[in-house]
Amino acid sequence: MTQGKLFERDWRSLLEAILRINSATDIALLQRISLECLRALVPSDQYAFFISRTGTREALGEPYIMGVEAKYLDKFMVGDYNTGEDAETFFSGRHILSHNTETSRDSDQIPEDYLVETRIYKEIYAPQGIHYGMRSSLMFRRKFVGSLELFNSKKRGDYTDKQLEIMTLLAPHIANRLGLLMDAESRSNSSPTLVPEEIKELFHLTDREAEIVSMLSTGAEDHTIINELYISGSTFKKHLYNAYKKMGVSSRTQLFNTLLAAKSNSAKKTKRPRPNGNLS
C-alpha cells in the first residue's frame, strides 16, 4: 500500500517548495508562491489562501484564489459561515487547542451524508461543483494567521493520504513565513521613515552607515542587509559600531527610539506656521 508514501522525488519537490516559500518578500507574493507550490504538489480544482490580521476566523481578509473561479465568494465573505454550526463542522478548533498548524480533510471531520445537509455546502459548495475539501489552519506563535483551503469536485475525488501528508508537511513553513512577514509589516508601519540622506545629516554618518541604519529601522535583519549591500559580516559590524557611537546608542531599541524622536522633531518643525509677511 503506497497511497500515503512519499518517494524521493516528492521530498525533493517539497524542499524546493519550502525554499520558494521562504524567499517570499511580501504577503501577496507568499500567497501566490504557496498556491503555485500546492498546485504542483496537490492537484485540485480550486485553491484559496486567506489571511487573518485579527487572530480569528471571523474576520478573514479577501483570499488569493487559484484554479477555477471562486463563485459566491462575496456571499461567503459577508455571510456568517465562520461562526455557528457550520464553523464547528468545517473549521476544527484543534489548532487553537494545540497552538500548532493543523491540516485535515473535510471527510475526516464529518460524514458525507451530514456534509451535504450543511448550509455552507448547499449555498456555497454545491452551486459551483465543490464537494471535497482539505484545509490547513495556519498558526504562528500561538496565533491564528490564516487558512489554506483546497477544493475538489466530486468527479476529481477526495484527497489521498499522500496529498494530506504533503500539505501537512508544507503548511507549517507557510505559516511561519506568513507570521514573520506580518511581524515585519507591523514593524514597518510603525517604524521611523527617515531616508538615509536625513539620517546622514542628523547624525553626521557616512553614506554607508546611514544606509545601514535606515534599513535596520524598517526591521531588516542583519543577513538581509549584508546580502543587499554586498558587504561582509565584519564590514557590517564595523559600520554599525561607528553609527552607534555617533548616535550615542548601544542597542537596536535605543537606535529605533532615537530615530522615532528625530522623526517626531522633524514633523513638528515642518508643521510650524510660516510668517505671513505682514509687518506690524
Side-chain angles (χ1 to χ4, degrees):
M1 185 74 174
T2 60
Q3 186 185 28
K5 182 179 179 180
L6 298 184
F7 297 102
E8 183 179 347
R9 64 176 181 271
D10 299 315
W11 288 109
R12 284 201 301 268
S13 297
L14 272 168
L15 289 173
E16 290 170 3
I18 291 167
L19 285 172
R20 285 197 66 200
I21 287 162
N22 283 298
S23 74
T25 53
D26 61 62
I27 292 174
L29 182 58
L30 174 66
Q31 289 177 289
R32 179 175 65 79
I33 288 175
S34 298
L35 295 192
E36 285 177 351
C37 291
L38 282 169
R39 195 172 195 174
L41 293 165
V42 185
S44 299
D45 289 317
Q46 187 183 99
Y47 306 77
F49 191 159
F50 293 86
I51 302 296
S52 173
R53 297 185 182 279
T54 64
T56 67
R57 285 201 62 93
E58 284 73 17
L60 293 175
E62 190 81 10
Y64 192 103
I65 300 291
M66 195 171 288
V68 299
E69 180 188 359
K71 299 176 182 177
Y72 312 105
L73 184 58
D74 291 342
K75 183 177 181 180
F76 174 77
M77 296 301 293
V78 300
D80 59 351
Y81 300 102
N82 284 320
T83 60
E85 186 178 358
D86 275 0
E88 294 173 5
T89 301
F90 282 87
F91 311 121
S92 168
R94 244 172 59 198
H95 59 288
I96 301 297
L97 296 174
S98 68
H99 306 297
N100 294 322
T101 294
E102 298 280 355
T103 300
S104 64
R105 293 171 290 206
D106 287 351
S107 57
D108 292 330
Q109 303 294 321
I110 45 177
E112 188 171 5
D113 57 350
Y114 184 88
L115 163 72
V116 298
E117 294 301 322
T118 60
R119 190 166 62 89
I120 193 173
Y121 183 88
K122 291 178 178 178
E123 297 179 7
I124 304 296
Y125 287 16
Q128 57 183 316
I130 287 174
H131 188 80
Y132 297 105
M134 180 166 65
R135 64 195 81 239
S136 295
S137 294
L138 306 177
M139 300 290 290
F140 178 75
R141 295 174 184 167
R142 297 173 170 262
K143 180 182 178 183
F144 176 74
V145 290
S147 179
L148 288 168
E149 303 187 6
L150 278 58
F151 302 102
N152 275 344
S153 64
K154 198 166 188 176
K155 181 179 179 181
R156 183 185 283 271
D158 201 359
Y159 294 93
T160 65
D161 291 345
K162 180 176 178 177
Q163 291 172 331
L164 175 65
E165 178 70 4
I166 288 172
M167 191 157 163
T168 299
L169 291 168
L170 201 58
H173 295 279
I174 297 172
N176 187 64
R177 190 60 186 164
L178 174 59
L180 291 173
L181 288 171
M182 291 175 79
D183 278 358
E185 184 183 86
S186 178
R187 289 196 301 270
S188 178
N189 289 340
S190 61
S191 67
T193 54
L194 295 171
V195 297
E197 290 75 15
E198 293 175 302
I199 295 172
K200 175 184 175 182
E201 183 178 344
L202 283 169
F203 302 103
H204 309 293
L205 306 183
T206 66
D207 289 338
R208 185 61 92 193
E209 290 164 0
E211 197 170 16
I212 288 173
V213 168
S214 178
M215 292 179 74
L216 284 172
S217 74
T218 66
E221 298 183 6
D222 294 1
H223 66 86
T224 301
I225 297 173
I226 290 168
N227 290 336
E228 290 192 12
L229 298 183
Y230 297 100
I231 58 177
S232 66
S234 59
T235 299
F236 167 78
K237 290 179 181 178
K238 180 181 177 182
H239 286 313
L240 187 59
Y241 172 81
N242 291 335
Y244 273 16
K245 190 173 180 181
K246 292 175 184 178
M247 295 175 70
V249 301
S250 58
S251 69
R252 304 292 171 92
T253 301
Q254 289 181 0
L255 179 144
F256 191 85
N257 290 336
T258 298
L259 289 174
L260 280 177
K263 175 187 173 184
S264 178
N265 290 335
S266 176
K268 289 177 182 177
K269 290 178 182 179
T270 303
K271 291 180 180 179
R272 285 178 182 172
R274 294 181 180 179
N276 59 19
N278 295 330
L279 297 177
S280 54

